Each structure stands twice: as C-alpha cells, then as structure tokens.
C-alpha cells in the first residue's frame, strides 16, 4: 500500500505541513517522488511515522527521535515493546488521577470523607512518573537505583504544605536565576543566592545532600538538552550560568 502525503496525513491524523517538515529535517523521507512530483510513502515509512508519533506522545524532542529512529542499531520491535511499557505507565498515572477525581466528586456530594493527603496523591504520583519517563534512565545511571527510589518515596510521602513550599521555591529559583544572569557574574551575591535556593529546593526531594551530587546535577543541566531547554527557555545561557554558580557555591570546580 502506498500513500501520498495527503493520504498519509489523513491516515495518521497529522498535517501535510508536518510530514513535509519531517522530510526536510530527514526524520521521515518518502519512499520516492513520482513523475508528478508527489511524495509517495510505503509501508516502511508508515511504520516509521508510527514510531515517531509514539515518541512524540512520550514527550521526546524531534532531534532526539531522529537520532533514535535513524540509528543503524534501531530495533522497531524492541521500540514497540518499550512504547508499550511507557503507555502502561501512563495508564497507571491516568488511573491514579481518575481515582483521585472520583474520590473528590464523592467528597463534594457528601459520599466520603477525603483527607488532604489523598487529594494530592495522584498529582504527586504523576510528577514522579513523569520525571521517571523523561529523565529516569540518565538519573539512575548517574546516581543509582537506590538513591532515585528514595527520592521518589520522599516525594510521594510529601505533605501538601511541603509540596506547595517546594513549588513556590522552584519559581523563586528561576526568578533569582534570571536576575542574577543579568549581572553576568556567577560568583556574585545574586548568583550565589540562586545556588543556595537551588540547594534548598533539591532537599525537598533528595534523601541526602552532597556538594558533589549538586555539582553533578548542575553539569547535567548543560549536558542534557532537555534540562538546558527548561532553564534557557526564557533566557538563553541560563543553564550554563546556573551550572557555573553552583560550581562556585559547592567549591567543586
């Protein structure tokens, strides 16, 4: 079975502009161009598009997807099994949220009594699961399963008051970081305040703190484009500036 770009777009539920863009960046080339100049896609391209859309659903960036699906060692069957595992994890997240909503509805209708802790269990579990899906492999390789598991348990056991404090502190870290960046001095007062706030923020979820681990995470912010994109979204170069400030703060470099 072969498809034009329009037919494939309708089949997959994506725009023709998206498919043309995928062609331009080399992530999904058509099987051939026919005599009329139309892109023609075959079964192999349909299978690749399915893989691309799976990875997109899991929040993976296009450049990373391209590296994955164009690698000579790419195994489509193995990737499908991995996708299935991730989808099952996502289903568990949704089930937890649905259960949370159901309990809340019953609470508002006077059917049950629901503790404040129960109200936010689903959200904390989703946060842990999202972090595992996005960064779990890298973090576990760097810090080990035991450290990550302890951190996840601490997060899931956090009270709503502590969770709100952590969320507020995360926003303060970013605000102070962007103000410090304007000074251009990672050793300056504002930059070092940012590093201290960042340490406080980490301690909400970390089982124990060490300067070496803090510096290692800061380096990951620069090495991993997903972390870099988070800090650089509002201010390009902020991730590297934060890394430098934390290095000075921890005295590791």
């Amino acid at each position: 079975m072969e498809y034009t770009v329009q037919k494939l777009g309708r089949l997959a539920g994506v725009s023709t502009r998206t498919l043309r863009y995928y062609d331009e960046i080399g992530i999904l080339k058509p099987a051939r161009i026919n005599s009329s100049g139309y892109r023609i896609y075959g079964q192999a391209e349909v299978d690749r598009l399915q893989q691309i859309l799976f990875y997109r659903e899991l929040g993976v960036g296009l450049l990373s997807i391209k590296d994955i699906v164009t690698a000579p060692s790419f195994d489509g069957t193995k990737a499908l099994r991995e996708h299935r595992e991730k989808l099952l994890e996502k289903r568990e997240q949704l089930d937890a949220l649905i259960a949370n909503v159901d309990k809340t509805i019953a609470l508002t209708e006077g059917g049950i009594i629901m503790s404040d802790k129960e109200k936010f269990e689903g959200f904390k579990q989703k946060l842990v699961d999202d972090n595992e899906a996005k960064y779990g492999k890298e973090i576990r390789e760097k810090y080990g399963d035991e450290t990550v598991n302890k951190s996840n348990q601490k997060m899931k056991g956090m009270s709503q008051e502590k969770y709100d404090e952590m969320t507020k502190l995360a926003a303060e870290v970013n605000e102070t970081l962007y103000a410090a960046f304007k000074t251009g001095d990672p050793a300056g007062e504002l930059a070092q305040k940012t590093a201290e706030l960042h340490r406080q923020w980490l301690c909400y979820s970390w089982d124990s703190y060490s300067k070496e681990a803090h510096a290692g995470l800061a380096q990951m912010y620069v090495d991993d484009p997903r972390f870099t994109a988070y800090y650089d979204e509002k201010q390009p170069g902020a991730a590297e500036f934060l890394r430098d400030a934390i290095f000075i703060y921890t005295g590791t470099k």
Side-chain angles (χ1 to χ4, degrees):
M1 187 72 177
E2 291 189 329
Y3 302 89
T4 63
V5 68
Q6 289 186 338
K7 288 182 178 179
L8 181 58
R10 286 196 296 268
L11 175 71
V14 298
S15 68
T16 56
R17 177 179 294 180
T18 295
L19 292 176
R20 293 190 180 98
Y21 179 64
Y22 287 174
D23 182 7
E24 290 174 12
I25 65 175
I27 193 172
L28 180 65
K29 292 284 188 181
R32 60 187 176 87
I33 306 294
N34 68 12
S35 58
S36 300
Y38 290 107
R39 295 172 172 84
I40 302 298
Y41 298 85
Q43 189 60 52
E45 290 70 42
V46 171
D47 291 344
R48 171 166 288 190
L49 178 58
Q50 181 191 39
Q51 295 286 1
I52 292 169
L53 296 180
F54 276 138
Y55 281 115
R56 291 293 284 164
E57 181 66 23
L58 294 172
V60 182
L62 278 178
L63 293 179
S64 296
I65 296 174
K66 180 181 177 182
D67 290 340
I68 294 169
V69 301
T70 60
S73 59
F74 178 70
D75 185 331
T77 302
K78 180 181 178 182
L80 284 173
R81 290 195 182 98
E82 292 174 351
H83 290 320
R84 184 179 186 277
E85 291 301 317
K86 295 298 183 183
L87 290 171
L88 288 173
E89 290 175 7
K90 182 169 286 191
R91 184 170 70 181
E92 289 179 2
Q93 295 174 19
L94 291 174
D95 286 345
L97 288 175
I98 290 170
N100 189 280
V101 171
D102 287 343
K103 285 183 179 180
T104 304
I105 292 172
L107 172 66
T108 59
E109 293 177 346
I112 63 169
I113 297 175
M114 189 178 184
S115 69
D116 289 341
K117 181 180 179 182
E118 287 179 304
K119 291 177 185 178
F120 297 99
E121 279 180 351
F123 295 104
K124 288 186 290 184
Q125 182 64 52
K126 185 176 186 302
L127 178 63
V128 168
D129 291 340
D130 284 348
N131 285 337
E132 280 284 353
K134 291 180 181 178
Y135 314 116
K137 181 180 179 182
E138 294 83 356
I139 295 295
R140 287 179 180 277
E141 287 177 353
K142 189 173 184 67
Y143 297 108
D145 288 338
E146 183 179 357
T147 298
V148 175
N149 290 340
K150 285 183 178 179
S151 176
N152 287 345
Q153 287 303 316
K154 187 172 182 180
M155 174 65 71
K156 288 189 285 188
M158 188 180 297
S159 68
Q160 183 56 32
E161 181 182 4
K162 289 293 184 182
Y163 182 80
D164 289 342
E165 289 176 3
M166 183 183 73
T167 303
K168 182 179 179 181
L169 186 56
E172 187 177 355
V173 169
N174 287 344
E175 290 175 5
T176 309
L177 170 61
Y178 297 135
F181 182 87
K182 294 178 181 178
T183 70
D185 182 9
E189 182 178 351
L190 267 180
Q192 290 306 293
K193 178 183 178 182
T194 303
E196 165 60 18
L197 290 173
H198 190 265
R199 182 197 65 78
Q200 294 176 22
W201 173 73
L202 288 176
C203 288
Y204 277 92
S205 58
W206 280 16
D207 187 59
S208 61
Y209 173 84
S210 76
K211 291 182 177 181
E212 293 76 13
H214 194 180
L217 182 62
Q219 183 61 49
M220 189 179 290
Y221 288 166
V222 176
D223 293 340
D224 191 313
R226 293 168 299 177
F227 285 109
T228 305
Y230 171 77
Y231 286 104
D232 283 10
E233 181 179 6
K234 293 183 179 179
Q235 178 58 67
E240 187 172 347
F241 183 87
L242 177 60
R243 188 260 329 258
D244 293 344
I246 291 172
F247 278 179
I248 294 169
Y249 176 81
T250 58
T252 55
K253 288 288 180 82

